[in-house]
Amino acid sequence: LSGDGMTVGGGVFCQEGFRAEGDVRLPGAHIDSQVVFRKAVLSNPGGLALDCESMEADSLWFDPVTVTGTVDLTSVRARVLHDDPDGWPGQMILDRFVYDDLRPYVAPRGPAGRLSWLEHAETSYRAQPYEQLAAYYRRLGHDREARQVLLAKQRRRRAEFGFLRKIFGYTLDGLVGYGYVPNRAFAWLVVLFTAGSVYFTLNRPAPLDPTQHPHYQPVLYAADQLIPVVNLGQAGIWAPAGAAQWVAAALVALGWILVTAVVAGITRVLTRT
């Protein structure tokens, strides 16, 4: 079936017993209404079973469809996609696929979630399918789900990094979830603040000026190291040495990362309200 560049004033219905062996081609087609492959069987092992590159349509219906081969939705524009997110066999190409709505609505996580749906896309990393899905959740007001998608995007991207960049990526993921999990950053701040307070209680640094200095407060000193910009009057008075110097430096570095993530999370909340 070859419909390259065709224009249809209504809909295209390949459903309810439609069966194709080989490539069904609709690249560049303009369909004013719906394109329906409900309960269709498309088979082209090792090749394109359905080529819809650059097609424009009001809605696409794939709920369900049996596919052996690849479905190419590159640069497709559609208002609504109706599908079975858990029933997509084979491989899909979703790069630059633009849509306004997905039906049925499902959360990103879970075996039938939309992130599993994206797992059927290209084997190499593509950012746009994740950005498009995050924008969809954000339009619905589901900011948490959008952040889950963007976090999954960073993890998928990380798989293509070299060894050192992977280590850095794993560190950012574990500390702040690439900035998309501010609650984790706040929890790390609490843990580091507690550990720093205990450490500097047991390992008091010497004063810079032995003749004149305020009373030593290990809790305030740990907070001064961990929280950037804020000056509690302790950090510039005492001079840690040896291992304590490394602990102080680690608190400063981690503090910048974690506080930045917490502030970004608060900013997102205030922006939504």
Side-chain angles (χ1 to χ4, degrees):
L1 174 58
S2 181
D4 299 45
M6 71 177 182
T7 299
V8 178
V12 174
F13 300 89
C14 302
Q15 61 176 347
E16 305 291 347
F18 177 87
R19 182 180 184 91
E21 295 183 4
D23 186 3
V24 175
R25 298 183 49 81
L26 298 172
H30 296 266
I31 316 298
D32 287 351
S33 185
Q34 52 196 326
V35 178
V36 183
F37 285 93
R38 178 184 290 162
K39 297 183 180 180
V41 177
L42 309 177
S43 179
N44 191 16
L48 282 176
L50 177 60
D51 183 358
C52 295
E53 182 176 357
S54 300
M55 184 183 74
E56 296 184 8
D58 179 75
S59 58
L60 300 176
W61 296 73
F62 297 107
D63 56 342
V65 61
T66 301
V67 180
T68 303
T70 300
V71 174
D72 187 355
L73 300 180
T74 301
S75 299
V76 169
R77 302 182 65 88
R79 186 178 59 85
V80 185
L81 171 66
H82 301 259
D83 72 337
D84 177 6
D86 192 34
W88 276 101
Q91 183 182 356
M92 290 184 294
I93 304 176
L94 299 175
D95 193 26
R96 302 187 301 281
F97 175 30
V98 178
Y99 48 84
D100 296 326
D101 196 8
L102 296 171
R103 299 179 186 174
Y105 173 85
V106 293
R109 300 294 186 186
R114 286 294 172 186
L115 285 175
S116 296
W117 175 60
L118 290 188
E119 292 297 324
H120 290 288
E122 295 98 331
T123 54
S124 59
Y125 167 74
R126 294 289 185 274
Q128 189 275 339
Y130 290 92
E131 296 287 347
Q132 173 66 43
L133 183 59
Y136 158 72
Y137 284 118
R138 198 174 291 119
R139 276 198 304 272
L140 298 177
H142 298 173
D143 184 68
R144 178 173 175 270
E145 285 77 3
R147 285 187 282 112
Q148 288 178 350
V149 173
L150 294 175
L151 176 57
K153 181 192 82 167
Q154 293 294 340
R155 289 171 174 170
R156 179 76 180 271
R157 182 186 178 206
R158 184 177 65 207
E160 302 192 353
F161 286 166
F163 177 74
L164 292 179
R165 290 186 68 187
K166 278 185 179 180
I167 294 299
F168 181 69
Y170 279 117
T171 302
L172 281 181
D173 194 358
L175 288 175
V176 296
Y178 286 97
Y180 298 116
V181 191
N183 292 343
R184 183 183 302 171
F186 182 78
W188 274 111
L189 278 174
V190 172
V191 170
L192 290 174
F193 172 68
T194 303
S197 299
V198 172
Y199 181 85
F200 287 112
T201 298
L202 301 176
N203 300 271
R204 175 174 176 166
L208 288 173
D209 184 357
T211 63
Q212 185 178 4
H213 58 81
H215 180 68
Y216 176 65
Q217 292 286 349
V219 173
L220 294 181
Y221 182 76
D224 237 349
Q225 300 294 335
L226 188 61
I227 304 174
V229 181
V230 175
N231 184 0
L232 300 177
Q234 292 284 323
I237 307 299
W238 309 96
Q245 190 174 14
W246 287 102
V247 171
L251 288 178
V252 172
L254 292 172
W256 276 103
I257 297 173
L258 296 172
V259 170
T260 300
V262 170
V263 170
I266 294 173
T267 302
R268 278 194 293 266
V269 172
L270 294 178
T271 302
R272 291 201 309 272
T273 57

